[in-house]
Amino acid sequence: MGPPLPSASPQLKALGAGVLRRRPVIRRAGRPLFPYVTMVRVSLWISVVVVAALFAWGAWQRRWIADDGLIVLRTVRNLLAGNGPVFNAGERVEANTSTAWTYLMYVGSWVGGPMRMEYVALALALTLSVLGVALLMLGAGRLYAPSLRGRRAIMLPAGALVYIALPPARDFATSGLESGLTLAYLGLLWWMMVCWAQPVRGRAEGRVFIGALAFVAGFSVLVRPDLALMGGLALIMMLIAARTWRRRVLIVVAGGFLPVAYEIFRMGYYGLLVPGTALAKDAAGDKWSQGMIYLSNFNGPYAVWVPVVLLLALGALLVVARRRPSFLRPALAPDYGRVARAVQSPPAVVAFVVVSGLLQGLYWIRQGGDFMHARVLLAPLFCLLAPVAVIPVPIPDGADYSRETGNWVAGAAAALWLGIAGWSLWAANSPGMGDDATHVTYSGIVDERRFYAQATGHAHPLTAADYLDYPRMAAVLTALDNTPDGALLLPSGNYIQWDLVPMLQPAPGDPNAPQKPQHAVFFTNLGMLGMNVGLDVRVIDQIGLANPLAQHTERLKHGRIGHDKNLFPDWVIADGPWVKLYPGIPGYLDVNWVAQAVAALKCPETQAVLSSVRAPMTLHRFVSNVVHSFEFTKYRIDRVPLYELARCGLPVPEAIPPPPRE
């Protein structure tokens, strides 16, 4: 045996004992590397639960289904009946903006069975709205996780409180529109992007997560076409940050397959590049002055600028008083390029959601806003509030800075938060647009929920039956029953009757004659009308949401926003199997305009557009529609028949003398 080893010195023994006492931290794969202390975790979840409960309760108190929400249900009825995703059987028009909401309602109605579609829409919209707010808060909580590692702090709702305090936000949490789905989508994308910016081994860096995030980002265009701005930006960020070409291929395939597949279907089935609603409302047009009016109409009743200023100050305070490593720096920086690290980082994700919100808001202001008070600016605001949906108020402990500085920071943050809470309490009880809420003034903007509540006499108009109390609605059922031989119904000046244009009786032996009497109704409010009549009744409008002719007219310069196309009823008479001479047509219409419209419909380009949506769907028709979808989308006709004849180079028919006066 060799000589004994020299004994260790007392200093080495103490150091060894210290090393032995420090047990290595063993993390399970996928565990978050930014553990909250109990106080932070509990306060975050309390905030989420309280805000979600308040939002659900507030939305339920203002529950309703809009006329536009009922438009979606008419399409769902046709899907369930086997007529395809159309508004009128035999005419392929995409009358809904949100493809995802249409098919979600289809699945929900199929699963719901005997439950009324309106109640399915109400339940889905409310659930998704609340889920969206919860995800927005959880994403913000995850954003601040690195700076709160091992620290005591209280998580308080801030931006989320501002959002749910706005009465329009609670109005459109139900409404039957895709607003709830939009909130859920934005909340999910925000939460996933924050997770992606703070990668955890086995979770945010895995193929499954990357593929899922790319799929969610690409799905944006199916939720709403304007959300493609946000989803596309997310995909670009992911491609820049990807480390391998295999990962980039995964992102492209997962993010692009479904949107591209549906776009090909849209081109072939509907013959358009965009939803029919985008064509009807000329989504590529601009009305800056009307957009500024719309922005002012949103800000005015609630002084939205107040919480914006307070939140900006609060955000600046959080940045100045942050702890290293902060939420502005990636806590786990992958070992690859500087640009990739910068893109896949919390500050880049914060910039992503803020810029996305600004771009969406700018788009809607350029487009002119909407006729529904505040509706289209809610999603942009939701994005802008994401980074401060919840905020941490650290409890001073003297570890990162002196207690005096800590007390000052905590006091300032608490004061700003109290200001936000005070504004929220005031805004939640705001009268909104006040006396102008239900009046269609020069701005064209109304509080849609209050408008229909007043017009129907129901505080919560939910079902199609509730809308039978809307002017003219009950009368349309009577008129249909009184015209067994078929007729076109035109709105008259009297709210309890309709003007009738009889159906032409086919000649004996005519092979092209309709199999049975036909009915059509020409009216603006497609939802309440379409849901209260049978699917065999053709329901069309002058705006173009369900009318392929009106879709292709030019936008009126000073028309009401969202309603700024107006096809004359002469075209409807000319386009169907209706009597086209006096006394069959109402006396206020010009028989020569009808004759000119009949001639104008023979324009080859117009016939091609109408055939794209009316001819039987075959493989040849599908391919032809795909090839010509671009020219069909940009095609426009003149709403004045005489001018349309001149545009198309067709001769003007001989004038028909007016009927003799009695």
Side-chain angles (χ1 to χ4, degrees):
M1 296 179 64
L5 294 173
S7 60
S9 66
Q11 292 84 358
L12 289 176
K13 289 182 178 179
L15 179 60
V19 170
L20 291 175
R21 283 196 298 268
R22 292 182 182 177
R23 296 180 179 179
V25 178
I26 301 175
R27 298 190 184 278
R28 297 178 183 177
R31 277 288 182 89
L33 299 184
F34 318 120
Y36 294 126
V37 297
T38 302
M39 179 183 295
V40 175
R41 189 185 304 277
V42 170
S43 61
L44 173 62
W45 280 105
I46 289 176
S47 296
V48 171
V49 171
V50 169
V51 169
L54 287 173
F55 190 38
W57 177 78
W60 179 257
Q61 295 299 313
R62 305 169 79 94
R63 63 193 179 278
W64 68 305
I65 299 293
D67 175 68
D68 284 39
L70 295 176
I71 292 177
V72 178
L73 302 189
R74 166 89 172 191
T75 302
V76 173
R77 283 177 65 195
N78 273 299
L79 274 167
L80 293 171
N83 297 326
V86 298
F87 192 80
N88 291 305
E91 196 168 61
R92 296 181 295 275
V93 174
E94 190 176 15
N96 308 325
T97 300
S98 175
T99 302
W101 179 241
T102 299
Y103 286 98
L104 181 62
M105 276 302 309
Y106 168 67
V107 173
S109 299
W110 181 75
V111 173
M115 182 183 296
R116 290 191 67 109
M117 289 184 186
E118 296 93 324
Y119 297 146
V120 173
L122 179 70
L124 283 176
L126 182 57
T127 301
L128 290 170
S129 296
V130 174
L131 177 63
V133 171
L135 287 171
L136 193 79
M137 299 175 70
L138 291 174
R142 173 66 188 252
L143 179 71
Y144 294 108
S147 63
L148 295 176
R149 181 169 46 182
R151 297 182 66 186
R152 293 190 303 161
I154 298 175
M155 301 294 284
L156 294 176
L161 203 60
V162 169
Y163 185 82
I164 71 168
L166 291 167
R170 302 197 300 277
D171 286 347
F172 290 103
T174 53
S175 83
L177 295 166
E178 72 281 354
S179 302
L181 176 62
T182 300
L183 294 190
Y185 173 80
L186 293 175
L188 176 62
L189 182 60
W190 160 245
W191 177 79
M192 294 185 76
M193 286 295 287
V194 173
C195 292
W196 173 74
Q198 298 172 348
V200 176
R201 184 176 60 258
R203 182 180 297 179
E205 283 296 288
R207 293 180 183 177
V208 173
F209 180 87
I210 293 297
L213 177 55
F215 176 84
V216 170
F219 196 72
S220 59
V221 70
L222 300 179
V223 176
R224 277 195 65 91
D226 50 283
L227 293 182
L229 293 169
M230 188 172 189
L233 182 57
L235 288 173
I236 291 172
M237 293 174 66
M238 294 179 68
L239 288 172
I240 293 173
R243 286 172 287 179
T244 64
W245 282 105
R246 287 186 178 181
R247 188 60 57 88
R248 293 188 181 98
V249 170
L250 172 64
I251 292 168
V252 170
V253 172
F257 176 78
L258 188 59
V260 170
Y262 186 80
E263 180 61 18
I264 295 173
F265 169 78
R266 172 182 284 143
M267 294 163 65
Y269 191 77
Y270 298 109
L272 296 175
L273 297 175
V274 296
T277 52
L279 185 61
K281 298 185 178 183
D282 196 9
D286 63 271
K287 284 192 173 182
W288 285 103
S289 59
Q290 177 63 27
M292 295 306 297
I293 292 173
Y294 189 78
L295 177 63
S296 176
N297 178 269
F298 175 38
N299 173 72
Y302 319 109
V304 179
W305 64 270
V306 172
V308 169
V309 170
L310 293 175
L311 287 170
L312 284 173
L314 191 54
L317 181 66
L318 292 174
V319 171
V320 171
R322 68 187 183 272
R323 174 194 180 187
R324 303 295 193 274
S326 74
F327 70 91
L328 291 178
R329 294 190 179 185
L332 275 181
D335 188 18
Y336 54 101
R338 180 179 300 177
V339 174
R341 287 200 304 269
V343 169
Q344 189 176 355
S345 66
V349 170
V350 170
F352 152 77
V353 75
V354 171
V355 169
S356 297
L358 290 173
L359 288 176
Q360 290 177 55
L362 188 65
Y363 165 77
W364 283 114
I365 292 172
R366 176 185 182 273
Q367 207 267 343
D370 191 39
F371 63 94
M372 300 186 196
H373 169 62
R375 180 177 79 101
V376 296
L377 292 180
L378 290 175
L381 179 65
F382 196 73
C383 293
L384 294 174
L385 295 174
V388 287
V390 293
I391 54 101
V393 178
I395 296 177
D397 55 9
D400 299 298
Y401 31 73
S402 67
R403 287 190 178 274
E404 291 77 8
T405 302
N407 289 332
W408 181 87
V409 170
L416 290 170
W417 183 85
L418 287 174
I420 292 169
W423 174 90
S424 300
L425 185 62
W426 169 80
N429 295 281
S430 168
M433 293 179 64
D435 294 337
D436 289 334
T438 59
H439 299 154
V440 183
T441 60
Y442 180 76
S443 71
I445 305 168
V446 298
D447 183 328
E448 194 83 346
R449 184 188 64 83
R450 288 175 60 183
F451 176 87
Y452 282 118
Q454 176 178 293
T456 62
H458 296 274
H460 304 288
L462 290 172
T463 66
D466 291 338
Y467 280 93
L468 286 175
D469 294 320
Y470 188 82
R472 294 192 177 96
M473 283 302 102
V476 75
L477 301 183
T478 303
L480 291 173
D481 289 339
N482 291 338
T483 53
D485 294 330
L488 167 67
L489 277 60
L490 302 176
S492 70
N494 190 327
Y495 282 172
I496 60 172
Q497 71 181 44
W498 289 76
D499 291 331
L500 304 178
V501 180
M503 180 180 171
L504 279 171
Q505 297 305 309
D510 183 359
N512 298 320
Q515 297 295 321
K516 61 179 182 179
Q518 296 186 7
H519 287 92
V521 187
F522 183 59
F523 194 53
T524 305
N525 300 90
L526 292 172
M528 63 180 77
L529 187 59
M531 284 297 288
N532 277 304
V533 301
L535 295 179
D536 57 337
V537 178
R538 186 167 176 253
V539 179
I540 49 178
D541 63 319
Q542 72 270 37
I543 302 168
L545 295 177
N547 187 338
L549 270 177
Q551 276 183 353
H552 291 277
T553 58
E554 292 287 353
R555 193 181 190 187
L556 299 176
K557 184 175 182 180
H558 298 293
R560 185 189 179 196
I561 191 70
H563 297 73
D564 41 9
K565 291 189 176 183
N566 188 9
L567 190 72
F568 297 118
D570 311 75
W571 288 94
V572 182
I573 297 173
D575 188 39
W578 320 116
V579 173
K580 296 172 175 55
L581 298 172
Y582 297 125
I585 65 174
Y588 54 80
L589 295 180
D590 189 335
V591 68
N592 286 292
W593 275 50
V594 175
Q596 292 164 10
V598 171
L601 286 173
K602 296 177 182 178
C603 180
E605 291 85 356
T606 303
Q607 288 185 337
V609 168
L610 293 178
S611 295
S612 72
V613 299
R614 292 177 179 173
M617 177 50 61
T618 62
L619 178 60
H620 179 270
R621 169 56 54 193
F622 188 92
V623 174
S624 176
N625 283 357
V626 170
V627 172
H628 297 96
S629 57
F630 176 76
E631 59 188 87
F632 290 161
T633 302
K634 68 177 184 178
Y635 183 70
R636 295 294 182 272
I637 66 174
D638 199 296
R639 57 197 290 266
V640 178
L642 185 62
Y643 298 162
E644 174 61 11
L645 287 171
R647 185 196 68 83
C648 205
L650 295 175
V652 179
E654 292 186 14
I656 302 174
R661 293 186 178 181
E662 297 182 359

